[in-house]
Amino acid sequence: MEKVKCGVIGCGWIGELKHISYLVNAEDAQLTAICDIDAAAADKIIKKFNLKDVRVYTDYRELCADPQVDAVHVCTPNGYHYEMTMCAIRHGKHVFCEKPLATRTEDAVRMVEAAKNAGVKLALGHQRRFFSSVQYIREMVDRGDMGEIYYGKALDARRRGVPTWGAYMDKEINGGGILFDGAPHSLDLTMYLMNNFRPVAVQGKVYTKMRGETAGNPWGTWNPDQCDVEDTGFALITMENGATIYLEAAWLINMLGIANSSLICGTKAGADLQGENGVARINTIVNDKMVTFSPEYADMPNVKPYIGEAEAGDVQMKDWIDAIREDREPFVQGRDGIPVVQIIEAIYESSRTGETVHITNHYDA
Ligand SMILES: NC(=O)c1ccc[n+]([C@@H]2O[C@H](COP(=O)([O-])OP(=O)(O)OC[C@H]3O[C@@H](n4cnc5c(N)ncnc54)[C@H](O)[C@@H]3O)[C@@H](O)[C@H]2O)c1
């Protein structure tokens, strides 16, 4: 089969770091087009990677219509994911959409339905699922070694970690703050580890208490008057099988936090992920004693194959290209993004009304 021809919309942080960086060196794929509304951002990419035969657009609709593009990578701010994905699908293209899938449930559902009806693939940007540690824990869960999983914790609590570039502070464009930034990763990871994507009820609360606390942020300061998103969100999520997930998400909180992590508890064992590579810690009982261990490779990044933060993006990209070539589903599918968007929407609603919000199952539709 010929190389998969890919076009990337959005030449910012993730567009360059994960998508373009992979595609320019890929054996089975070829970067044929890029698009950014900011022509200078696209030009920077052309120069940096010394790209010769790549078409450059400022209008995403033209990239979607380009016959030299088989797969469209949507790497723009959250609020554009829906219209760009739908446009690409209308043109019969496969779509890799960065997380979160959308900022509204109805959009997320339409995207998944449209891809299904058009017979194209829709992948979602949760590369952490490929971590060696995550695969190890999930295999334990699937074998039944952890027993019944009845509690999970989705964590992305950054003491200071406010993204000050792009549209992250603009609710209209990004959908919200930390809940649409870090929370999708940790929710996805937790639900994946629990093998449970079926939330039924959410009680949540969001805060904007720290908006004016601009000091100490590693990504610089900001104008609080130009920020209308939450800095913190908490939620208690009930799953269809009675399990509970607690979500703790913040990009600005006076707490020694844990970025992008997860914890699950089963009747036979528990597990959590530590640090940016998500090193696994398993806790269980052996010979009547409490035992905690980390699978060896998870502590040893030099042991190959090892997949941590540095490797996960490339591994997801390869899976995506292979999925197209082999005509199979990508490992992280668009449909997995629906419950995440539903939970986030429900947290805002619950925070506003003080009530528990019930969730309809669109995941199995
Ligand atoms: N998978 C991950 O770990 C991960 C990490 C960071 C960001 N993301 C996601 O990637 C997306 C982009 O985030 P980012 O940090 O790269 O943002 P960014 O601001 O760095 O880049 C976005 C780019 O999109 C361009 N753009 C905006 N509107 C456009 C339009 N209408 N048409 C064409 N281009 C347009 C901007 O000019 C910018 O260059 C977000 O949805 C974010 O949640 C995922």
Side-chain angles (χ1 to χ4, degrees):
M1 187 190 171
E2 281 183 19
K3 288 186 175 195
V4 179
K5 300 186 201 75
C6 299
V8 175
I9 309 175
C11 298
W13 168 287
I14 204 71
E16 177 184 340
L17 191 75
K18 177 171 158 187
H19 298 256
I20 294 169
S21 296
Y22 177 83
L23 292 169
V24 293
N25 293 313
E27 279 178 12
D28 294 340
Q30 184 189 354
L31 181 67
T32 51
I34 59 173
C35 167
D36 203 295
I37 200 163
D38 172 8
D43 192 45
K44 209 175 113 202
I45 294 291
I46 294 290
K47 292 202 171 93
K48 179 168 178 179
F49 294 96
N50 193 22
L51 302 176
K52 300 277 186 251
D53 300 320
V54 172
R55 294 119 102 97
V56 181
Y57 299 102
T58 49
D59 184 337
Y60 72 89
R61 289 165 296 196
E62 291 177 16
L63 182 143
C64 291
D66 188 334
Q68 286 305 311
V69 171
D70 305 319
V72 172
H73 295 224
V74 176
C75 304
T76 48
N78 307 339
Y80 303 126
H81 292 184
Y82 171 68
E83 65 186 68
M84 291 175 176
T85 299
M86 293 299 272
C87 179
I89 293 172
R90 274 196 299 276
H91 285 282
K93 316 289 181 177
H94 302 295
V95 183
F96 187 111
C97 182
E98 266 307 332
K99 46 64 54 177
L101 186 60
T103 54
R104 301 186 318 165
T105 298
E106 58 188 278
D107 293 349
V109 171
R110 280 198 203 119
M111 290 158 83
V112 172
E113 277 174 5
K116 200 168 157 187
N117 292 340
V120 297
K121 301 184 195 311
L122 176 59
L124 184 60
H126 289 301
Q127 67 276 2
R128 290 189 173 94
R129 275 214 215 161
F130 291 84
F131 283 5
S132 302
S133 52
V134 171
Q135 288 308 309
Y136 185 94
I137 297 171
R138 178 57 196 267
E139 279 173 26
M140 282 188 74
V141 170
D142 291 348
R143 280 197 306 266
D145 293 353
M146 305 201 69
E148 182 193 345
I149 314 295
Y150 60 94
Y151 181 57
K153 220 172 181 179
L155 299 164
D156 190 351
R158 310 173 203 161
R159 182 182 177 190
R160 295 289 183 279
V162 183
T164 47
W165 66 92
Y168 285 95
M169 296 193 180
D170 187 324
K171 189 163 173 71
E172 197 174 331
I173 300 179
N174 234 44
I178 183 64
L179 286 181
F180 271 115
D181 174 35
H185 273 314
S186 50
L187 278 171
D188 177 79
L189 209 50
T190 307
M191 290 195 285
Y192 173 73
L193 288 173
M194 295 172 82
N195 192 14
N196 187 345
F197 280 87
R198 295 175 180 83
V200 289
V202 174
Q203 177 85 47
K205 187 81 189 158
V206 298
Y207 293 96
T208 53
K209 302 265 181 211
M210 302 283 285
R211 190 178 283 164
E213 303 298 321
T214 61
N217 187 47
W219 288 316
T221 190
W222 63 91
N223 180 353
D225 296 336
Q226 288 173 1
C227 170
D228 63 353
V229 295
E230 79 288 347
D231 40 64
T232 309
F234 304 110
L236 205 56
I237 303 150
T238 305
M239 309 302 281
E240 191 183 74
N241 69 345
T244 294
I245 295 177
Y246 180 62
L247 169 73
E248 191 174 85
W251 63 23
L252 188 56
I253 189 168
N254 288 324
M255 180 171 81
L256 299 175
I258 308 170
N260 292 315
S261 190
S262 279
L263 171 158
I264 61 169
C265 303
T267 49
K268 293 186 185 167
D272 59 56
L273 299 170
Q274 299 281 311
E276 70 162 16
N277 288 312
V279 171
R281 285 190 316 187
I282 317 292
N283 70 85
T284 186
I285 300 285
V286 179
N287 294 336
D288 298 331
K289 299 273 188 303
M290 287 195 283
V291 170
T292 309
F293 68 93
S294 292
E296 232 173 49
Y297 60 79
D299 280 339
M300 301 168 70
N302 293 327
V303 176
K304 302 288 174 193
Y306 168 83
I307 303 166
E309 183 70 19
E311 295 82 7
D314 279 359
V315 178
Q316 180 168 36
M317 283 296 116
K318 178 159 180 6
D319 171 75
W320 166 238
I321 299 301
D322 288 350
I324 295 171
R325 291 171 66 88
E326 294 162 12
D327 194 18
R328 62 163 170 83
E329 285 301 329
F331 187 60
V332 187
Q333 297 179 37
R335 80 190 269 246
D336 299 352
I338 297 175
V340 170
V341 177
Q342 287 185 288
I343 289 169
I344 296 166
E345 252 188 352
I347 296 171
Y348 291 125
E349 172 75 0
S350 174
S351 186
R352 193 178 60 77
T353 63
E355 304 288 330
T356 297
V357 174
H358 297 276
I359 288 183
T360 307
N361 182 338
H362 294 295
Y363 178 72
D364 295 306

